[in-house]
């Protein structure tokens, strides 16, 4: 028997999609990798992101109670995208209504699985639900905006002693449709979840999106990157932090460099060649392969 949504309201009856669990590849939605949709700071942000570039417009607004969804909160959406793509590729039906255990999400995103981690997960779900987005991306007319929250609704199921049994959430059409389009999803390195800084996490996603596996790599003007990040820090501070990332080289699979030309600074990045077997194992979260 099919399980349907227990949520009331305008969503209607949605079939319940139960996560598959286990070790699966991490997938990210390219629109979320390219544009400024999340706060890059761990401190609460309530100032909106109001971004316009060509025909692309993005307005992200937060509540004073919860603050804006952060790039760490976006790990939940990476987990959702990964589950949907895995099910689609295996011929399983999917839905915007998704059920999982907190342990599944926390383990996949390399978080601790104790009580404190679960409380942080719930706070992240609250931020994803309360953050609102209005964007022209993937709209038939660039003046038209699609409005949504990253999670329409979510709830936790508890046993009689108050112990968490699982979570159910509904993701918006805009996100769900983008994930179902195979051309709009990319596999990412699972070691991404080990990146601790908001800027380096954002930088990995944009490097993965634009650099891909191109031998010649890619480059961005630093001021252009600063604009696309949506960060509140001034350009001078942004550049300082970028130089530190280039010095440390923390991004899995890519080599970064800063170049100066015509009085401007550019960040270049190129994919580091990797053994195909090592690459497959790294995507699944394994740090090494015994080739003996």
């Amino acid at each position: 028997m099919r399980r349907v949504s227990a949520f009331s309201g305008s969503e209607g009856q949605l079939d319940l999609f139960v996560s598959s669990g286990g070790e699966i590849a991490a997938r990210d939605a390219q629109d979320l990798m390219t544009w400024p949709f999340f706060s890059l700071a761990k401190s609460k942000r309530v100032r909106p992101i109001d971004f316009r570039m060509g025909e692309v417009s993005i307005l992200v607004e937060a509540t004073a109670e919860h603050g804006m969804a952060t790039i760490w909160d976006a790990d939940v959406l990476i987990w959702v995208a990964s589950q949907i793509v895995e099910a689609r590729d295996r011929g399983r039906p999917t839905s915007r209504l998704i059920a999982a255990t907190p342990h599944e999400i926390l383990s996949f995103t390399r978080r601790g699985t104790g009580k404190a981690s679960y409380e942080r997960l719930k706070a992240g779900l609250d931020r994803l639900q309360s953050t609102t987005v209005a964007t022209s991306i993937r709209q038939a007319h660039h003046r038209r905006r699609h409005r949504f929250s990253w999670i329409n609704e979510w709830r936790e199921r508890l046993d009689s002693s108050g112990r968490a049994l699982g979570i159910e959430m509904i993701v918006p059409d805009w996100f769900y449709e983008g994930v179902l389009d195979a051309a709009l999803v990319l596999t990412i390195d699972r070691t991404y979840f080990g990146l601790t800084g908001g800027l380096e996490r954002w930088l990995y996603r944009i490097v993965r999106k634009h650099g891909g596996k191109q031998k010649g790599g890619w480059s961005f003007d630093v001021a252009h990157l600063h604009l696309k990040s949506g960060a509140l820090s001034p350009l001078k501070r942004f550049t300082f932090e970028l130089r530190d990332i280039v010095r440390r080289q923390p991004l899995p699979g890519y080599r970064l460099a800063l170049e100066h030309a015509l009085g401007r600074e550019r960040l270049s990045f190129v994919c580091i060649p990797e053994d195909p077997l090592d690459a497959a194992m790294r995507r699944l979260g394994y740090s090494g392969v015994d080739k003996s």
Side-chain angles (χ1 to χ4, degrees):
M1 179 181 295
R2 293 188 309 170
R3 287 187 61 189
V4 297
S5 172
F7 291 107
S8 60
S10 60
E11 290 292 342
Q13 296 292 300
L14 291 171
D15 292 336
L16 184 68
F17 169 50
V18 180
S19 65
S20 61
E23 291 289 346
I24 65 173
R27 278 91 168 199
D28 205 350
Q30 291 194 45
D31 289 330
L32 275 61
M33 301 168 78
T34 306
W35 305 106
F37 282 111
F38 302 99
S39 170
L40 305 186
K42 291 183 177 178
S43 56
K44 181 188 288 188
R45 173 173 176 167
V46 294
R47 181 175 168 182
I49 296 173
D50 190 357
F51 176 85
R52 298 170 189 272
M53 182 176 289
E55 295 185 351
V56 171
S57 66
I58 298 169
L59 177 64
V60 184
E61 296 179 294
T63 65
E65 179 182 3
H66 298 293
M68 184 178 294
T70 71
I71 199 162
W72 293 273
D73 300 332
D75 287 357
V76 173
L77 299 177
I78 295 176
W79 175 84
V80 171
S82 304
Q83 290 290 335
I84 291 173
V85 172
E86 183 73 12
R88 182 202 65 197
D89 290 350
R90 292 178 180 271
R92 291 178 54 210
T94 62
S95 169
R96 294 193 298 116
L97 171 60
I98 303 169
T101 65
H103 186 274
E104 285 178 89
I105 300 174
L106 292 170
S107 296
F108 181 85
T109 57
R110 298 192 167 185
R111 311 287 179 89
T113 54
K115 182 179 179 181
S117 296
Y118 179 49
E119 292 301 319
R120 285 192 289 270
L121 174 61
K122 290 198 297 182
L125 292 169
D126 282 339
R127 283 188 292 270
L128 289 165
Q129 194 277 325
S130 62
T131 297
T132 58
V133 178
T135 182
S136 64
I137 296 172
R138 283 192 277 116
Q139 301 307 296
H141 194 287
H142 72 273
R143 291 186 179 180
R144 175 184 174 187
R145 287 188 171 190
H146 193 135
R147 297 180 180 273
F148 57 89
S149 295
W150 291 118
I151 294 177
N152 291 14
E153 301 178 57
W154 80 274
R155 68 170 188 165
E156 55 184 333
R157 293 181 291 113
L158 307 175
D159 63 16
S160 58
S161 62
R163 185 176 59 185
L165 295 176
I167 291 172
E168 292 181 3
M169 68 184 89
I170 301 174
V171 296
D173 277 322
W174 186 89
F175 175 76
Y176 183 67
E177 291 171 359
V179 170
L180 285 180
D181 187 336
L184 297 179
V185 177
L186 286 175
T187 301
I188 64 172
D189 196 308
R190 285 281 291 275
T191 57
Y192 162 81
F193 298 117
L195 298 176
T196 57
L199 181 57
E200 63 190 37
R201 278 174 154 251
W202 172 80
L203 193 61
Y204 171 78
R205 296 172 86 188
I206 202 164
V207 164
R208 174 67 184 93
K209 164 64 175 69
H210 291 279
K213 304 299 180 182
Q214 299 179 72
K215 292 183 179 180
W218 200 267
S219 69
F220 274 114
D221 183 90
V222 170
H224 179 74
L225 273 178
H226 178 249
L227 178 64
K228 291 196 72 171
S229 74
L232 291 176
S233 59
L235 176 59
K236 185 176 181 179
R237 177 64 187 179
F238 177 89
T239 305
F240 175 82
E241 293 178 357
L242 195 60
R243 287 171 182 159
D244 181 62
I245 292 172
V246 171
R247 178 185 61 80
R248 292 186 289 109
Q249 297 292 335
L251 305 193
Y254 292 91
R255 176 68 58 180
L256 310 178
L258 282 170
E259 304 168 345
H260 295 267
L262 302 176
R264 300 183 70 86
E265 203 164 19
R266 293 186 68 85
L267 177 76
S268 63
F269 39 92
V270 65
C271 179
I272 301 172
E274 186 173 20
D275 179 271
L277 179 58
D278 285 351
M281 297 299 283
R282 280 169 59 83
R283 284 196 295 271
L284 291 174
Y286 297 100
S287 59
V289 180
D290 185 356
K291 297 179 181 179
S292 61

